[in-house]
Amino acid sequence: MNYWLSTRTKRRTFLVGAGALAGLAIASQARPVVAQSRFSAYPFSLGVASGDPLPDGVVLWTRLAPDPLNGGGMPSVNVPIQWQVATDENMRQVVLRGTAIATPEFAHSVRVVVSGLQPGRWYWYQFKVANEFSPIGRTRTAPALGSPVDQLNFAFASCQDWQNGFFPAFRRMAEEDLDFVVHLGDYIYEYGPDPNGPRQHNGPEIVSLTDYRNRHALYKTDPSLQAVHAAFPWIVTWDDHEVENNYADEIPEENQSRQAFIQRRVAAYQAYYEHMPLRSFARPVGPDMQLYRRFSFGNLAEINVLDTRQYRTDQPCGDGLAPRCPEASNPAATMTGTEQERWLFDGLSQSGSRWNVIAQQTMLAQYNFDPRPGSSGAFNLDQWDGYVAARDRLFNFLQQRKPANPVVITGDIHSSWVHDLKADFNNPNSATIGTEFVGTSISSDFPAQFIAPVAAALPGNPHTKFFDGAFRGYVRCNLNGDRWQSDYRVVSTILEPDAPISTLASFVVENGQPGAQRA
Ligand code: FE
Ligand code: CA
């Protein structure tokens, strides 16, 4: 019997003992813990989430926010929240339970780092505060390290500009049969309101911690987004718009001093940490946050999650669409920073997985948007095309060490692409050393007038097997020991929250044969 549901009607007070207080966040030890008994409105307005699946546990997340768009609406006190993990969807077979403390320092968000679970199985979880119950979420642990795994199913997504449309893609993703979801960034956008969109941002361009919290809260009020969080564990990384368009390390896009921008980055990183089901090592320290990390799924797949914003050097040739400048070949220009690059190469060297996934933000493959003879070309210089020496280092590594089946998954560009990764992109006869799947946006715009010119450049980029700019959606991946299949799932419109989904195209990679073929 569900302990909580059976006691729901009784009046309850929560007495929190010293044991619960021991887990309190460092900054708030002196603050009294208050057993809140009433809220101005339902406190679980932002739903629940889970993430960072390991074989023995996951991270559970929620945030108390009875007034989500106005700072949360919680008094400045610590509040105990009870949580439970069960092996059934009705929360009858509870296997773990405990109390966490929601503190004002973290906007009354809660992360419960659960361990002691069984590998490769589903669990359900729920939070309770006073007489209020959260929705029940479902999550799944990763298979045991190195164990044989028949197949994996996951989806990856990116770029969900609230103002450009609804999230029918998330609504449909929640109905898929997946083990987990990977989000590749632009989870929020920082812009002020656009009166022409089907729905508007809450207030002007965001700068302060309160601004970023209210913006994350706005996005998390979306029922389709909540449904996907409640259905699967997520593995998240960010791109630029979680802070500011096209920023690089401590360098803003425009109109801000470096000092003011660092303060803005502190606020943005803090709010991101508060709203994502990340492990505690990601807790920001000043303007720094540890986000790159690695996940293993038995012997079948290893996912290297990159952060290509925090440690970047400034775009060597600017961040537009233009010919390359000589600085793109400067070996000091980096997307990942030296330390993360070494970590990536070390991990790929040691991996025994069948598929080695690099989950990252901007397009890795070269794409010349102006391949006409005599032209000096046009490249997207915020992507790896602006950091050629860094890409060459990665490709040289892949050619020398040959980790099994490298597959890169990418967001950022609001359109669908499939690329063969070439030892030399300018020589179609050079070796194919990996495969890149670029997913379209959940809702962010790809201007219609760009579609024809991009398509016209395809013959000049023979390593690019597929491009579509018309549709929004996500990519669903099914992998087993023999092959990887990517299905480009797209919705008919983003002007209706419940638009239907269909598969626009499917591509496969055979084990041991880098490069994609149409299914
Ligand atoms: Fe985007
Ligand atoms: Ca982006």
Side-chain angles (χ1 to χ4, degrees):
M1 192 61 200
N2 184 332
Y3 163 77
W4 283 352
L5 292 182
S6 66
T7 55
R8 186 163 190 167
T9 51
K10 292 182 190 158
R11 183 177 172 79
R12 297 186 59 78
T13 357
F14 297 120
L15 298 173
V16 179
L21 282 169
L24 209 55
I26 23 64
S28 356
Q29 280 166 358
R31 205 185 287 277
V33 174
V34 176
Q36 183 108 1
S37 59
R38 295 187 60 206
F39 297 91
S40 54
Y42 184 56
F44 297 106
S45 59
L46 306 181
V48 298
S50 72
D52 277 18
L54 298 182
D56 73 332
V58 294
V59 176
L60 310 180
W61 175 93
T62 193
R63 181 184 162 204
L64 300 178
D67 190 6
L69 305 186
N70 295 293
M74 290 292 293
S76 193
V77 294
N78 293 340
V79 177
I81 302 181
Q82 293 182 302
W83 55 269
Q84 291 188 342
V85 175
T87 54
D88 67 299
E89 61 184 338
N90 297 314
M91 300 298 298
R92 290 197 171 88
Q93 307 298 323
V94 172
V95 291
L96 283 172
R97 61 164 60 97
T99 303
I101 309 293
T103 71
E105 285 81 0
F106 292 94
H108 292 97
S109 63
V110 174
R111 83 190 60 247
V112 179
V113 180
V114 174
S115 60
L117 302 179
Q118 298 299 310
R121 67 157 299 163
W122 293 105
Y123 289 93
W124 286 260
Y125 60 94
Q126 190 177 24
F127 298 92
K128 176 178 192 261
V129 62
N131 296 315
E132 303 286 356
F133 296 79
S134 79
I136 294 171
R138 186 183 67 162
T139 190
R140 186 174 175 84
T141 49
L145 285 179
S147 64
V149 174
D150 291 343
Q151 63 162 342
L152 271 177
N153 293 285
F154 73 96
F156 68 90
S158 61
C159 295
Q160 50 203 49
D161 188 344
W162 177 274
Q163 307 203 93
N164 204 49
F166 296 98
F167 298 161
F170 277 137
R171 180 152 184 163
R172 298 307 164 205
M173 190 190 285
E175 299 166 355
E176 301 270 16
D177 181 12
L178 306 173
D179 297 302
F180 58 93
V181 169
V182 179
H183 197 284
L184 298 171
D186 290 358
Y187 189 99
I188 59 164
Y189 281 72
E190 78 278 21
Y191 300 127
D194 169 8
N196 301 316
R199 53 183 180 175
Q200 277 73 48
H201 275 155
N202 50 342
E205 177 150 339
I206 51 177
V207 179
S208 71
L209 178 55
T210 305
D211 294 343
Y212 279 98
R213 283 171 170 168
N214 288 341
R215 185 59 55 85
H216 274 281
L218 174 70
Y219 278 62
K220 279 235 158 65
T221 57
D222 185 276
S224 301
L225 177 58
Q226 285 192 12
V228 189
H229 274 301
F232 313 107
W234 284 41
I235 294 170
V236 301
T237 186
W238 55 31
D239 192 27
D240 50 341
H241 288 284
E242 283 85 353
V243 183
E244 191 206 24
N245 182 47
N246 286 1
Y247 85 99
D249 191 3
E250 295 176 348
I251 300 151
E253 183 186 28
E254 58 191 2
N255 296 336
Q256 261 192 305
S257 73
R258 197 180 180 110
Q259 212 43 49
F261 181 71
I262 291 171
Q263 283 314 304
R264 185 179 185 180
R265 182 173 127 168
V266 168
Y269 283 15
Q270 164 90 15
Y272 186 80
Y273 177 72
E274 288 169 353
H275 289 84
M276 297 294 155
L278 290 164
R279 289 185 178 267
S280 306
F281 64 72
R283 187 165 67 89
V285 179
D288 302 318
M289 183 167 152
Q290 172 69 44
L291 193 58
Y292 66 83
R293 60 208 191 283
R294 182 176 294 125
F295 297 91
S296 282
F297 295 87
N299 64 358
L300 191 57
E302 196 152 278
I303 302 186
N304 300 274
V305 181
L306 302 194
D307 171 358
T308 62
R309 287 290 167 189
Q310 187 172 187
Y311 315 101
R312 256 198 211 227
T313 48
D314 199 14
Q315 288 86 352
C317 311
D319 58 3
L321 200 66
R324 277 198 197 106
C325 64
E327 288 74 33
S329 301
N330 178 355
T334 172
M335 276 280 200
T336 57
T338 313
E339 213 174 295
Q340 183 177 195
E341 184 180 273
R342 194 178 310 127
W343 166 89
L344 175 63
F345 293 177
D346 285 350
L348 289 169
S349 297
Q350 289 158 21
S351 167
S353 281
R354 176 58 54 93
W355 301 95
N356 284 287
V357 185
I358 300 176
Q360 56 97 50
Q361 291 78 20
T362 62
M363 217 151 81
L364 179 60
Q366 173 172 290
Y367 195 80
N368 186 350
F369 289 82
D370 184 6
R372 291 173 300 179
S375 157
S376 44
F379 299 91
N380 186 325
L381 299 168
D382 180 58
Q383 301 179 347
W384 288 81
D385 266 342
Y387 299 75
V388 175
R391 180 171 62 200
D392 287 346
R393 276 198 302 278
L394 172 59
F395 281 22
N396 289 337
F397 166 84
L398 294 177
Q399 283 182 279
Q400 282 163 20
R401 296 301 296 262
K402 295 192 165 47
N405 298 309
V407 176
V408 178
I409 59 174
T410 301
D412 177 61
I413 194 167
H414 305 178
S415 44
S416 305
W417 307 68
V418 178
H419 305 288
D420 288 357
L421 298 175
K422 304 295 285 186
D424 176 0
F425 284 111
N426 298 320
N427 175 8
N429 297 320
S430 69
T432 298
I433 56 176
T435 316
E436 182 177 21
F437 295 110
V438 183
T440 186
S441 57
I442 290 291
S443 61
S444 303
D445 189 37
F446 189 85
Q449 69 268 24
F450 291 175
I451 294 175
V454 172
L458 281 167
N461 294 271
H463 57 277
T464 299
K465 303 289 187 67
F466 181 68
F467 162 74
D468 175 78
F471 289 99
R472 314 279 74 81
Y474 54 88
V475 180
R476 182 181 68 191
C477 304
N478 169 267
L479 39 156
N480 59 37
D482 298 326
R483 63 177 222 163
W484 172 305
Q485 177 161 334
S486 288
D487 298 322
Y488 283 73
R489 304 280 283 160
V490 299
V491 291
S492 57
T493 175
I494 52 168
L495 298 178
E496 294 161 20
D498 59 352
I501 192 127
S502 61
T503 298
L504 181 66
S506 295
F507 284 82
V508 298
V509 185
E510 305 287 347
N511 173 36
Q513 268 186 285
Q517 300 135 39
R518 199 143 189 159

